[in-house]
Amino acid sequence: MQIHSAIPDLRAALNNRRGIVFVPTMGNLHAGHIALMAQARARGDTVVASIFVNRLQFGLGEDFDKYPRTFAEDCEKLSAAGVDLLFAPAENDLYPETQQYYVDPPEIQSQLEGAFRPGHFRGVATVVLKLFNIVRPEVALFGKKDYQQLMVLRNMTRQLALPIEIVGGETVRADDGLALSSRNGYLTPAERAEAPRLHRVLRGISDAVRNGRRDFAKLESEAVAELGRNGWKTDYVAVRQQVDLRVPQPGNTVLVVLAASRLGKPRLLDNIEIQAVQHER
Ligand code: PAF
């Protein structure tokens, strides 16, 4: 696996390469990332991964400084997964001057995750557009665990007519259902034992909606209450339309339930896509 940190070096290495499939990451790779690499390997001639902890998408007081950085282990995993090139820029490679031009996603950037992380999606969209311009992939893969991010990037790519196919990778879970995340490392053993409840609660909502329930607000507040009884502090549990993450329109059955909740210090995210059956009234 080639590793490049300077933009001109990566561009030179990619010159004349076709069928580039790209998986951007912030490192600290787990089985969810490796599944994306395998999906990329199966789709393309040249698999490019990136590792860059993007300051622009972290708010004040968030974990930018202590975000886990495990570069040597990450390189071993990427190489074993058949990645051809790794782009691992330093901050000065990607932001040699203060970034003043941004991609400003629409109003959905202030809802759900955006309501709790102001500016987050602006930072994500900006760095991803920049990475796309450097790597120039035909296909880019993102995990569905960050569902809102995937939706923002898919819609950005379509609206800006970027010639890139955006593919979502299924969330990889531990045996007990907990979605894998770099932030799971922050959980104490007791919190780790409690953590799968988030997925169970979402599964309960997903089953109920599949069985015809449309009283989303009630389902959401019951879920928040159950989490609360077990020590969680919930930012949101929300049933939304998959396409734009807005509140479901009557008759829309292509839904997703998303949640973010804090267990002790760590804040965990999860979601489940729901294909509800249209029930006769
Ligand atoms: O999902 C991530 O790891 C990051 O948000 C991304 C897409 C690599 C942009 O920094």
Side-chain angles (χ1 to χ4, degrees), residues 62 144 199 201 209 238 248:
E62 288 190 358
K144 286 190 188 176
H199 178 240
V201 163
V209 173

Side-chain angles (χ1 to χ4, degrees), residues 24-26 52 54 57 124 127-128 142 146 149 153:
T25 80
M26 297 204 302
F52 181 67
N54 171 40
Q57 70 190 70
V124 169
V127 80
V128 169
F142 298 89
D146 293 307
Q149 165 172 284
L153 296 175

Side-chain angles (χ1 to χ4, degrees), residues 22 57 63 210 242-243:
F22 180 38
Q57 70 190 70
D63 56 350
R210 247 195 246 112
Q242 283 182 24
V243 63

Side-chain angles (χ1 to χ4, degrees), residues 186-264:
Y186 300 151
L187 295 165
T188 64
E191 289 163 356
R192 175 62 191 81
E194 169 61 22
R197 186 182 307 276
L198 186 61
H199 178 240
R200 285 200 301 274
V201 163
L202 295 189
R203 182 129 310 285
I205 295 183
S206 149
D207 290 346
V209 173
R210 247 195 246 112
N211 288 328
R213 276 185 65 179
R214 300 283 296 184
D215 51 345
F216 304 131
K218 183 151 188 281
L219 288 169
E220 292 162 4
S221 62
E222 284 167 1
V224 172
E226 179 182 342
L227 289 166
R229 283 193 298 275
N230 291 281
W232 297 71
K233 293 203 167 52
T234 301
D235 285 344
Y236 59 86
V237 173
V239 180
R240 296 294 175 102
Q241 334 192 113
Q242 283 182 24
V243 63
D244 53 9
L245 297 188
R246 289 180 185 282
V247 173
Q249 295 295 308
N252 188 340
T253 53
V254 186
L255 307 176
V256 55
V257 55
L258 311 104
S261 192
R262 236 174 249 285
L263 187 55

Side-chain angles (χ1 to χ4, degrees), residues 91-106:
E91 187 136 350
N92 202 42
D93 292 303
L94 216 55
Y95 300 127
E97 52 188 282
T98 306
Q99 186 75 25
Q100 290 174 317
Y101 288 79
Y102 284 86
V103 178
D104 200 14

